[in-house]
């Protein structure tokens, strides 16, 4: 452990209180206004959430992966939109710099990320390159000591509020695959960046996504992550391996929240003269959810510990993302079922959390992409 178990236990207590006292009560407002209130973002900054994974040398807490998932088990009991703003920043938005950045890049950007000054986004997906990320078309053309970026990125989380983008773009037009891609650090105020209108989504209201359009956007050559062309796809995949464990941890936490909501309701709601929780068919739904959630928690902790120990976790990360995102979908579905008619009504949290949970099976790699990563490694003998 990087911080020590006492400090992490304290951090988890503080976050648990923040979730129960500030975030869960604000969920309805976030849903209605489709944004996380600025005063809550300011509180997140004061709590140091934007520095959780930034190394201590650069002003962060430098949590290990195990510590990070333990924190996520608390934090992500609240609606996923809250996690999205700082979790995307300290996760996929900035991990390219942490994992593969040069010392100069780390020095320049990580302290400003840790303080919460720079919200970050990860710009990989394009209108025609989703699951097939290596086919991306955004072009970065070398021009003296700059690169000129042209192209459109789609569904980019945090784009409307981001101060910094990690952008994957093709530096070698002759190489149409992964080897032609480089990753860039692009500051928001660079001329040539337009943010599209905020997307209207099924759920996770308050987490803002939009297109990011680059037109003749000149970025210093010093901002190519790691200082070398052609490494950007690998950087993106390493970032996603880590991100997928984080998403899986968030699925576990949301499942625990959904189970708690279902149990509370089952203990109160009466039908046929009894609390519905006394009926074995209701208990069966609760039990299946509990057992599956426990399995998810155990596998996430195992993968996180293995990553901390330096093992190659790319297949395990996909296993975690696949199982936990599908698991939280089933748990959300059962929770709606336990609530019955009330579960379909916006007045109760089950309806909103059910819609929120749906996205976990799609972003940071669909379930089918996780199956492909796992299955391919099995057959190819990794
Ligand atoms: N770590 C390091 N290197 C890796 C890697 C990993 N996890 N995965 C692949 N690579 C390397 C390979 O070794 C290979 O290198 P060589 O050429 O030197 O051999 C290179 O990268 C290309 O790999 P593949 O041949 O496996 O590439 P592929 O084109 O077959 O694609 C894929 C692999 C798994 C399908 C990948 O494209 C993928 O993960 N797609 C899903 C994309 C995704 O998750 N998008 C989500 C966007 S982020 C998001 O959701 C944003 C948000 O805001 C929430």
């Amino acid at each position: 452990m990087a911080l020590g178990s006492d400090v992490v236990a304290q951090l988890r207590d503080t976050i648990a209180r923040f979730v129960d006292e500030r975030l869960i009560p604000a969920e309805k407002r976030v849903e209605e206004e489709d944004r996380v209130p600025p005063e809550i973002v300011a509180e997140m900054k004061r709590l140091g959430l934007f520095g959780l994974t930034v190394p201590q040398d650069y002003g962060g807490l430098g949590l290990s992966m195990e510590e990070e998932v333990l924190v996520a088990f608390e934090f992500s009991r609240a609606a996923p939109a809250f996690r999205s703003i700082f979790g995307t920043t300290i996760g996929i938005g900035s991990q390219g710099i942490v994992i593969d950045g040069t010392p100069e890049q780390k020095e320049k950007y990580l302290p400003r990320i840790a303080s919460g000054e720079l919200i970050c986004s990860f710009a990989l997906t394009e209108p025609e390159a989703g699951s097939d990320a290596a086919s991306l078309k955004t072009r970065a053309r070398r021009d003296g000591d700059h690169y000129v970026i042209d192209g459109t990125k789609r569904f980019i989380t945090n784009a409307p509020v981001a101060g910094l983008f990690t952008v994957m773009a093709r530096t070698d037009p002759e190489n149409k695959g992964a080897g032609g891609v480089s990753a860039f650090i692009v500051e928001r105020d660079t001329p040539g960046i337009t943010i599209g209108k905020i997307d209207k989504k099924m759920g996770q209201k308050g987490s803002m996504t939009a297109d990011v359009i680059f037109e003749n956007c000149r970025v210093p050559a010093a901002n190519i992550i790691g200082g070398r062309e052609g490494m950007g796809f690998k950087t993106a995949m390493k970032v996603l391996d880590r991100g997928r464990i984080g998403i899986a941890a968030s699925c576990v936490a949301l499942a625990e929240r959904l189970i708690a909501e279902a149990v509370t309701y089952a203990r109160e709601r009466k039908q046929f003269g009894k609390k519905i929780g006394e009926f074995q068919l209701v208990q069966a739904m609760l039990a299946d959810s509990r057992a599956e959630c426990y399995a998810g928690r155990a596998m996430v902790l195992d993968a996180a510990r293995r990553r901390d120990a330096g093992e190659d976790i790319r297949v395990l990360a996909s296993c975690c993302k696949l199982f936990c995102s599908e698991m939280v979908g089933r748990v959300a579905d059962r929770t709606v079922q336990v609530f019955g008619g009330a579960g379909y009504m916006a007045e109760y949290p089950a309806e909103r959390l059910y819609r929120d949970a749906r996205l976990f099976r799609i972003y940071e790699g669909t379930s089918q992409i996780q199956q492909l990563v796992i299955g391919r490694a099995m057959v190819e003998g990794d």
Side-chain angles (χ1 to χ4, degrees):
M1 290 241 175
L3 265 193
S5 51
D6 285 357
V7 184
V8 174
Q10 260 178 23
L11 181 63
R12 291 180 67 192
D13 280 352
T14 307
I15 289 176
R17 269 201 310 280
F18 183 54
V19 166
D20 291 325
E21 292 168 13
R22 295 289 292 131
L23 302 189
I24 292 179
E27 284 178 348
K28 267 196 165 169
R29 182 176 161 204
V30 169
E31 169 87 2
E32 280 158 20
E33 295 178 5
D34 203 359
R35 65 165 199 161
V36 176
E39 65 274 16
I40 289 188
V41 179
E43 285 177 63
M44 290 176 179
K45 290 181 186 176
R46 279 200 295 278
L47 282 173
L49 296 181
F50 285 85
L52 290 179
T53 60
V54 173
Q56 290 177 4
D57 288 351
Y58 301 101
L61 283 180
L63 294 191
S64 66
M65 192 78 227
E66 178 180 357
E67 291 166 342
E68 191 188 337
V69 301
L70 287 170
V71 166
F73 287 157
E74 288 304 334
F75 195 90
S76 296
R77 288 187 293 111
F82 294 113
R83 187 207 73 93
S84 187
I85 189 150
F86 84 90
T88 304
T89 295
I90 63 170
I92 55 177
S94 63
Q95 281 296 315
I97 304 174
V98 174
I99 296 173
D100 280 341
T102 62
E104 295 73 28
Q105 290 167 348
K106 292 181 186 183
E107 196 70 55
K108 182 168 180 190
Y109 292 107
L110 294 181
R112 293 170 66 199
I113 293 168
S115 69
E117 180 194 331
L118 282 178
I119 306 277
C120 302
S121 280
F122 179 75
L124 175 67
T125 302
E126 299 182 356
E128 289 172 54
S131 289
D132 184 9
S135 72
L136 62 83
K137 292 198 173 64
T138 294
R139 182 81 172 89
R141 181 175 46 82
R142 182 92 194 212
D143 182 21
D145 54 3
H146 282 76
Y147 283 88
V148 181
I149 303 185
D150 285 284
T152 297
K153 297 292 179 178
R154 179 138 296 171
F155 307 144
I156 303 305
T157 304
N158 280 351
V161 288
L164 185 148
F165 297 92
T166 297
V167 181
M168 270 50 70
R170 191 165 301 283
T171 40
D172 180 358
E174 302 305 315
N175 185 337
K176 307 277 182 224
V181 175
S182 304
F184 293 88
I185 304 165
V186 183
E187 296 184 29
R188 167 66 185 98
D189 53 13
T190 315
I193 300 179
T194 310
I195 309 296
K197 65 176 173 39
I198 296 173
D199 299 316
K200 289 202 181 304
K201 306 191 297 307
M202 173 194 285
Q204 301 211 4
K205 302 270 169 69
S207 109
M208 288 187 266
T209 71
D211 281 7
V212 183
I213 301 124
F214 298 92
E215 284 167 305
N216 207 17
C217 176
R218 292 178 69 82
V219 176
N223 282 21
I224 191 163
I225 292 182
R228 279 203 298 147
E229 284 191 7
M231 302 309 293
F233 185 77
K234 288 183 185 175
T235 296
M237 289 298 119
K238 286 187 256 179
V239 164
L240 284 171
D241 285 341
R242 204 177 172 290
R244 286 166 184 170
I245 298 178
I247 290 286
S250 291
C251 293
V252 169
L254 191 65
E256 285 182 350
R257 163 81 182 282
L258 282 155
I259 293 167
E261 298 283 353
V263 168
T264 304
Y265 193 77
R267 283 181 178 153
E268 285 166 2
R269 169 80 173 160
K270 285 191 176 152
Q271 285 295 280
F272 303 102
K274 281 202 239 181
K275 291 178 179 148
I276 61 167
E278 291 175 37
F279 292 108
Q280 289 181 339
L281 291 180
V282 172
Q283 288 175 7
M285 287 192 277
L286 297 178
D288 283 351
S289 292
R290 179 81 185 83
E292 289 188 31
C293 183
Y294 174 58
R297 190 183 173 93
M299 71 195 287
V300 166
L301 272 171
D302 178 67
R305 286 179 186 137
R306 285 172 188 263
R307 187 181 187 280
D308 289 337
E311 287 184 36
D312 181 344
I313 48 76
R314 56 184 98 172
V315 170
L316 297 185
S318 286
C319 290
C320 288
K321 167 75 166 58
L322 172 63
F323 180 82
C324 294
S325 62
E326 295 285 336
M327 177 275 291
V328 73
R330 292 189 294 272
V331 170
D333 191 70
R334 289 187 201 109
T335 296
V336 169
Q337 199 68 14
V338 169
F339 272 75
Y344 206 68
M345 300 299 150
E347 195 186 332
Y348 294 87
E351 181 268 346
R352 170 169 43 77
L353 297 175
Y354 176 85
R355 286 185 285 107
D356 285 353
R358 188 64 183 86
L359 186 53
F360 285 122
R361 286 151 65 190
I362 299 171
Y363 63 8
E364 297 204 25
T366 60
S367 290
Q368 290 67 34
I369 287 296
Q370 311 310 331
Q371 288 172 318
L372 186 150
V373 170
I374 301 162
R376 195 153 78 175
M378 290 168 76
V379 172
E380 289 174 6
D382 268 21

